[in-house]
Amino acid sequence: MKNFITLLPPPNITGSLHIGHYFNWALQDFLIQYKKAKGYKTEWILGLDHAGIATQYVVERKLAEKGESRKELGREKFNEKIQEWKIEAEELIQKQVDNFKFDMNWNVRHFTMDEDHQKRVREAFVKLYKDGLIEKKLKITNWDTKCKTAISDLEVIEKVEKSKIYIIEYKAENKEEESLYVATTRPETIFADVALCLNPEDPRAKKLEGKKFLIPLINKAIPVILDELCQADKGLGVLKVTPAHDSLDNEIGEKHKLELISIINEEGKLYNTIKELDGLTIEEAKKEIIKIFKENQINYEEKEWEGIKKYTEKSGVPLEMILTEQWFLDVSTMAKQALENIEEVKFYPEYLKNTFKNWMINIKPWCISRQIWWGHQLPIWYTKEGEIICETTKEEAANKAKVDKEELKQETDVLDTWFSSALWANLTEEKIDVLITGKDILFFWVARMIMFSLYLYNKNPFKKLYFNGIVRDKNNEKMSKTKGNVINPIELNEKYGEDALRFTLLKNTAGNKDIKLNEKEVELSRNFITKIRNAETFLTKYMNKNYKENENLDSWIETKIFEYKQEIETNIEEYEFQKAAELFYDLMWNHYCNWYIEGLKENPSTKAINYFYEILKIGQPFLPLTIEKILPKENKKITITKKETNFEKVIKITKFLRKIKKHSDIKTFYIEFEEKLIENYTKIKNEKTSNFAIILEQEKIFIEKEHIEKVKEAIEKENKELEKERLELTKKIETAKSVPNNIVEEWKNRNKNTEEKLEEINQLKKLIK
RNA sequence: GGGUAUAUAGCUCAGCGGUAGAGCAUUACGUUGACGUCGUAAGGGUCAUAGGUUCGAUCCCUAUUAUACCCACCA
């Protein structure tokens, strides 16, 4: 038996599951059910993520409500509190999972802090460290002043905001020289300035290079340096260089070997400045320094400014760049390996593979340490002498260092949550058939899993990657608690019944794009489910059991089932869920209910119920709960094949008669072909009252004289259209020069058809006269 | 600033070199065998704009516009 493995993106233990989870899970559940029915042994790898910063943030906030803080509690007690929270959160998630009703065994699941995963993480770290890819460095890092931890570049969000920009005068050390004016949005950082920078092309550059200028207030002299990183057209073309608190400045600083002066501490407060400002927060200091400028008659100008401001993703406070010691993972080798192996992975949608590649090409070292308490502590031990030992356990570290293990102190930092997630694909040794996840975590998670798996396990973890869109509200806005437009999947399921939301989402996945979810759509799915239930009621309770032979109709629906089944399966295999859903909808509602069941009313068939069950089997992954209730545990298996049928003729004749009926009060017609069926479909009596006959589909249809005029009208329009088409086609064929033969042949055939039809109509017209 | 995706009927979206499609909504008619209604039918489109390639473009190319997202060090 073949295996089918899929990996659930583990939800965070920070809170409840939302419609995004429901959608993502529904896609996976759909595939699982489909593959199961196909005879595969399926495995859905489930789990939860400890979500380091996010969880710690939530728990700290809860503590703050009670007037407690993590510092008071200490690391051990605090982690106990987090464990309590975890249990609470798990219960909540459990309830939701139960309500989601997916085909999963939630009791069998992993957790990123499980002992075996901790081991996996430690081993990975040690290997990477010993390979020389992990290094501790004093560097400026993105800093979250609320959670007091470093964060990665990916956890930074940017917003365009209106604020103020200040133009500040830096006087020349040599009083004869003219002052330089610097535009900055951060006047509070002048104390960390170590240079002023100009672009080498700047006309002032040659004259000023090496000259010294004074930092306002403290009158410290700093030199002018030249670097093309300073752009002449930005600001006033003069950059104040604060290498300890700005990444561009840091780069310039490194190039010119400038001193790093740190003035912002881990709490986001100033130190090492002047006594009026030390201890103030950035925002406070910004206001205060302007006051001080005024008091000291420092020349400055204030202007309105619109620019990008950075915030931390998790706690939402302004981002600071500060100087700290952090652990960095050099991912360049891994990225190279990932690039070499990515072609064998199929991406849905394909264009994301390029996004993936571009990211890999431009990848930068990853800051993997976090100064929080909840997470995987780094397997790094320090000896009394300050030697760094990296081993998976304290015992091993002690052995290696040849010291008593009580002498070793473990690094207090924990790993970025995504470091442990990066190993999530290695919960199984086998290749995962498909990972279905959101595109927002392509870099955070998917890319890193691929890199880690290739480097550490020499294995490409995935065969296919499917990125689902975001579920948005009916106005195409992202759902958020603050906007109040959040749709709760469980509430929707309660309102519209089981499977309605699931079907709606599957039917609207439209090429991995975001889904605009309108409740109206869910209502339509509900109606579809009702239709199916009613069909069942009709077939089992109301259908006339007085069966007659009904080969034509049966053969037709059987052929339809055969064709649709194939097409639906092809679409599912290509992950075209929306097309598959539409096909199933069409087969069930249009073909089976509207034509077949309507036909049964005249001609009940013993096979009707079997056909119904066959269609349900096809649709089972779309509406598993509904269909499970209807499908009997054991039902007679019937073979579905393509069969000869002339039912299409019935449809054509029916549609023709309906058209006539629409425009007249026709009461009778006469035909000697499937008359009962047509009578039933058209609700026109089959009774010979006239000798006027028209020929359609090689069948004679007799219609009363008085309705002939209406027939004329009905066909006149068709006639016009046909003539127009013939004209166009003839012209096309005549003017065709460099058109391939097969195309011309096709046109000719079509033209022949048109002419035949026109001939039919002409005959008809003659007859009517 | 760079990149990617999207632009087709009132709405949600298919199609993607050779007759513009579906579902919903609208309108009309009809529902004495199932219908948390259902059925039948009709109307509705310069396929974002402008060029180009081609015998032929909604489809390919180029530019423009709009929207969304991603990346980047902008004072």
Side-chain angles (χ1 to χ4, degrees):
Chain A
M1 197 160 31
K2 278 175 109 179
N3 281 339
F4 178 78
I5 307 174
T6 176
L7 178 69
L8 182 91
N12 289 349
I13 55 164
T14 41
S16 54
L17 305 175
H18 50 74
I19 194 152
H21 293 110
Y22 183 88
F23 173 42
N24 177 260
W25 295 22
L27 288 168
Q28 293 170 69
D29 188 55
F30 174 83
L31 280 178
I32 293 268
Q33 304 236 13
Y34 170 77
K35 289 286 180 181
K36 219 182 229 179
K38 285 246 129 197
Y40 283 74
K41 184 172 166 269
T42 61
E43 191 187 348
W44 194 354
I45 303 168
L46 309 174
L48 283 171
D49 196 301
H50 70 284
I53 296 177
T55 308
Q56 175 154 336
Y57 181 62
V58 169
V59 174
E60 275 196 77
R61 217 169 39 189
K62 280 191 85 178
L63 285 178
E65 280 167 22
K66 287 188 273 178
E68 290 176 286
S69 81
R70 79 164 148 137
K71 284 224 165 114
E72 285 165 29
L73 286 170
R75 189 162 187 151
E76 214 170 296
K77 280 255 170 72
F78 180 71
N79 274 343
E80 276 171 28
K81 289 274 176 200
I82 290 193
Q83 287 297 341
E84 283 170 28
W85 162 265
K86 189 211 161 200
I87 291 165
E88 221 176 282
E90 270 187 313
E91 275 173 23
L92 187 77
I93 291 172
Q94 175 84 53
K95 259 187 206 161
Q96 289 183 296
V97 171
D98 290 345
N99 275 312
F100 280 6
K101 294 181 185 163
F102 290 124
D103 187 15
M104 53 164 59
N105 184 0
W106 187 246
N107 292 323
V108 181
R109 63 168 185 268
H110 303 268
F111 181 49
T112 45
M113 293 294 282
D114 280 345
E115 192 40 54
D116 74 311
H117 198 63
Q118 293 216 30
K119 194 168 161 253
R120 198 174 288 121
V121 168
R122 285 196 302 267
E123 282 169 0
F125 186 96
V126 172
K127 163 99 169 97
L128 292 166
Y129 182 85
K130 289 186 175 170
D131 287 353
L133 298 181
I134 292 177
E135 226 188 324
K136 189 184 190 180
K137 279 188 217 160
L138 180 71
K139 227 182 144 176
I140 64 156
T141 5
N142 302 317
W143 189 263
D144 183 331
T145 54
K146 183 142 194 180
C147 297
K148 295 178 191 61
T149 178
I151 57 173
S152 77
D153 291 344
L154 291 176
E155 288 162 309
V156 176
I157 46 171
E158 292 172 346
K159 289 183 196 167
V160 176
E161 272 183 15
K162 279 194 178 144
S163 63
K164 299 246 161 71
I165 191 164
Y166 301 90
I167 295 161
I168 302 169
E169 179 188 20
Y170 282 61
K171 286 187 171 145
E173 191 183 35
N174 174 356
K175 298 249 159 64
E176 328 266 281
E177 298 265 357
E178 275 180 40
S179 301
L180 272 179
Y181 291 87
V182 175
T184 179
T185 51
R186 305 211 55 183
E188 72 280 8
T189 64
I190 57 167
F191 310 103
D193 290 353
V194 294
L196 293 177
C197 186
L198 286 166
N199 190 287
E201 304 292 315
D202 193 297
R204 298 168 287 180
K206 272 185 191 155
K207 202 178 86 190
L208 291 176
E209 185 177 16
K211 295 260 166 68
K212 292 201 168 176
F213 286 81
L214 303 172
I215 297 177
L217 294 175
I218 53 172
N219 288 328
K220 183 182 164 191
I222 51 170
V224 170
I225 55 166
L226 306 181
D227 198 304
E228 60 269 10
L229 284 172
C230 173
Q231 295 175 27
D233 56 336
K234 293 288 160 75
L236 298 172
V238 188
L239 190 65
K240 68 192 241 341
V241 185
T242 53
H245 297 296
D246 182 279
S247 49
L248 175 68
D249 295 9
N250 188 264
E251 210 178 319
I252 295 173
E254 264 180 30
K255 269 166 82 174
H256 297 264
K257 303 209 166 54
L258 299 176
E259 190 193 354
L260 292 159
I261 299 175
S262 171
I263 58 153
I264 301 170
N265 71 12
E266 298 180 353
E267 292 180 354
K269 289 179 179 165
L270 295 193
Y271 72 102
N272 205 10
T273 60
I274 51 176
K275 66 175 189 297
E276 294 94 324
L277 296 177
D278 276 355
L280 296 185
T281 65
I282 304 295
E283 288 308 312
E284 289 164 350
K286 200 169 271 183
K287 281 179 199 154
E288 197 58 31
I289 195 165
I290 297 304
K291 248 193 238 168
I292 299 171
F293 278 171
K294 272 183 198 158
E295 286 164 14
N296 291 274
Q297 280 139 22
I298 303 290
N299 253 335
Y300 81 97
E301 199 186 329
E302 192 178 298
K303 281 186 176 173
E304 296 297 320
W305 170 252
E306 193 176 67
I308 286 165
K309 189 162 181 187
K310 292 179 173 183
Y311 289 87
T312 67
E313 189 194 29
K314 285 283 151 25
S315 54
V317 296
L319 179 87
E320 290 303 331
M321 302 290 292
I322 71 167
L323 203 59
T324 54
E325 277 204 314
Q326 298 294 343
W327 295 85
F328 289 88
L329 171 62
D330 177 5
V331 277
S332 52
T333 353
M334 296 167 120
K336 211 179 143 218
Q337 219 177 340
L339 273 169
E340 280 162 8
N341 288 281
I342 202 60
E343 286 314 323
E344 62 197 59
V345 183
K346 183 125 173 75
F347 278 60
Y348 300 85
E350 269 172 45
Y351 73 82
L352 280 181
K353 192 182 267 190
N354 282 332
T355 314
F356 176 94
K357 286 183 190 167
N358 284 335
W359 190 70
M360 284 293 176
I361 290 165
N362 300 316
I363 203 157
K364 286 181 182 165
W366 173 14
C367 174
I368 52 171
S369 50
R370 298 289 180 272
Q371 288 65 52
I372 55 171
W373 290 347
W374 173 236
H376 302 261
Q377 219 168 323
L378 270 65
I380 290 283
W381 279 269
Y382 298 102
T383 64
K384 270 182 185 168
E385 288 74 34
E387 197 193 342
I388 293 173
I389 314 284
C390 179
E391 290 295 339
T392 50
T393 62
K394 199 174 189 178
E395 287 71 23
E396 272 180 63
N399 269 341
K400 181 92 181 284
K402 300 196 175 88
V403 294
D404 188 78
K405 75 177 195 182
E406 296 314 313
E407 281 180 31
L408 292 175
K409 271 198 180 145
Q410 189 171 2
E411 167 64 59
T412 51
D413 286 1
V414 300
L415 286 164
D416 180 2
T417 304
W418 294 105
F419 189 97
S420 80
S421 311
L423 293 155
W424 207 235
N426 302 102
L427 289 171
T428 172
E429 282 175 16
E430 285 173 73
K431 254 197 178 189
I432 291 158
D433 287 85
V434 63
L435 171 69
I436 302 186
T437 186
K439 23 182 172 270
D440 51 333
I441 51 176
L442 170 60
F443 303 141
F444 274 110
W445 191 43
V446 184
R448 286 164 176 171
M449 274 195 289
I450 292 171
M451 289 196 293
F452 271 43
S453 184
L454 278 166
Y455 187 83
L456 299 165
Y457 295 84
N458 198 24
K459 181 192 88 176
N460 207 332
F462 306 111
K463 289 183 192 163
K464 292 174 180 176
L465 294 169
Y466 181 97
F467 296 92
N468 58 260
I470 299 169
V471 183
R472 291 163 176 272
D473 76 358
K474 64 179 172 205
N475 301 319
N476 209 18
E477 287 186 39
K478 265 191 191 168
M479 292 184 191
S480 77
K481 277 180 192 164
T482 42
K483 271 189 219 154
N485 60 349
V486 176
I487 296 174
N488 182 341
I490 294 168
E491 277 173 21
L492 267 190
N493 269 338
E494 272 167 14
K495 190 167 171 192
Y496 293 102
E498 293 166 343
D499 291 333
L501 177 60
R502 174 197 182 96
F503 190 73
T504 308
L505 293 170
L506 285 168
K507 201 163 160 269
N508 287 284
T509 49
N512 308 65
K513 277 181 278 191
D514 291 353
I515 295 184
K516 235 186 248 187
L517 184 66
N518 196 332
E519 243 186 85
K520 180 82 193 163
E521 295 284 334
V522 188
E523 210 178 308
L524 294 172
S525 300
R526 190 264 324 269
N527 290 353
F528 179 49
I529 293 164
T530 310
K531 185 80 182 171
I532 294 174
R533 293 224 189 88
N534 277 313
E536 189 214 6
T537 316
F538 175 78
L539 291 166
T540 53
K541 294 198 183 116
Y542 294 85
M543 189 172 66
N544 187 351
K545 296 282 165 18
N546 196 7
Y547 299 121
K548 297 173 206 161
E549 275 299 304
N550 199 346
E551 228 188 290
N552 202 4
L553 191 59
D554 277 352
S555 302
W556 176 77
I557 195 68
E558 201 175 315
T559 307
K560 283 289 167 206
I561 296 171
F562 181 84
E563 290 169 352
Y564 270 72
K565 187 179 179 193
Q566 275 195 338
E567 211 179 328
I568 288 168
E569 286 183 356
T570 311
N571 277 304
I572 295 174
E573 297 289 349
E574 284 165 9
Y575 293 175
E576 301 275 4
F577 304 121
Q578 70 290 356
K579 279 184 205 160
E582 275 166 19
L583 285 166
F584 167 58
Y585 184 93
D586 186 39
L587 174 65
M588 179 54 99
W589 200 320
N590 187 25
H591 291 87
Y592 190 81
C593 292
N594 291 357
W595 282 103
Y596 185 73
I597 290 192
E598 265 333 289
L600 287 182
K601 288 175 182 171
E602 196 41 54
N603 263 343
S605 160
T606 45
K607 287 186 183 166
I609 193 90
N610 301 94
Y611 290 140
F612 183 60
Y613 291 154
E614 285 307 312
I615 296 172
L616 289 182
K617 277 186 215 158
I618 298 170
Q620 196 271 344
F622 294 101
L623 304 168
L625 302 168
T626 313
I627 291 175
E628 196 191 3
K629 283 181 191 150
I630 301 174
L631 263 186
K633 287 268 161 346
E634 280 176 31
N635 65 308
K636 201 175 90 193
K637 271 190 186 154
I638 58 164
T639 349
I640 299 289
T641 53
K642 247 183 169 157
K643 286 187 168 160
E644 281 295 311
T645 165
N646 60 10
F647 188 75
E648 294 295 343
K649 266 168 78 173
V650 176
I651 295 179
K652 278 188 185 152
I653 292 165
T654 301
K655 287 195 169 175
F656 178 74
L657 286 168
R658 276 173 182 166
K659 217 179 256 177
I660 294 169
K661 196 186 171 195
K662 176 93 184 167
H663 300 283
S664 71
D665 56 347
I666 184 169
K667 296 269 170 14
T668 61
F669 77 107
Y670 185 75
I671 194 168
E672 286 173 349
F673 165 74
E674 292 286 9
E675 56 274 13
K676 286 283 173 194
L677 261 184
I678 296 171
E679 196 178 75
N680 181 49
Y681 286 135
T682 58
K683 308 262 191 275
I684 308 174
K685 258 192 183 167
N686 193 60
E687 194 177 79
K688 195 167 180 183
T689 55
S690 164
N691 286 322
F692 284 103
I694 55 177
I695 294 164
L696 192 70
E697 298 288 321
Q698 287 90 46
E699 297 293 335
K700 270 190 185 170
I701 310 173
F702 293 86
I703 295 171
E704 279 173 65
K705 259 188 203 165
E706 55 184 296
H707 300 297
I708 293 291
E709 278 305 310
K710 295 291 173 190
V711 177
K712 243 172 113 179
E713 269 172 36
I715 61 177
E716 195 61 46
K717 209 176 154 189
E718 201 181 350
N719 190 22
K720 266 187 194 162
E721 277 166 15
L722 284 168
E723 286 206 333
K724 200 179 146 199
E725 198 184 327
R726 184 173 63 170
L727 203 76
E728 275 171 13
L729 277 170
T730 324
K731 210 175 156 189
K732 258 181 172 177
I733 293 163
E734 276 171 6
T735 55
K737 280 176 201 162
S738 346
V739 183
N741 276 341
N742 56 332
I743 304 278
V744 180
E745 277 308 304
E746 205 189 302
W747 289 346
K748 280 184 180 165
N749 274 335
R750 228 163 59 207
N751 204 22
K752 214 173 127 193
N753 277 337
T754 319
E755 273 170 2
E756 273 169 20
K757 276 186 193 163
L758 276 169
E759 188 52 34
E760 259 182 39
I761 288 172
N762 271 334
Q763 295 281 342
L764 216 67
K765 276 183 173 171
K766 274 183 205 157
L767 219 64
I768 296 164
K769 276 176 193 165

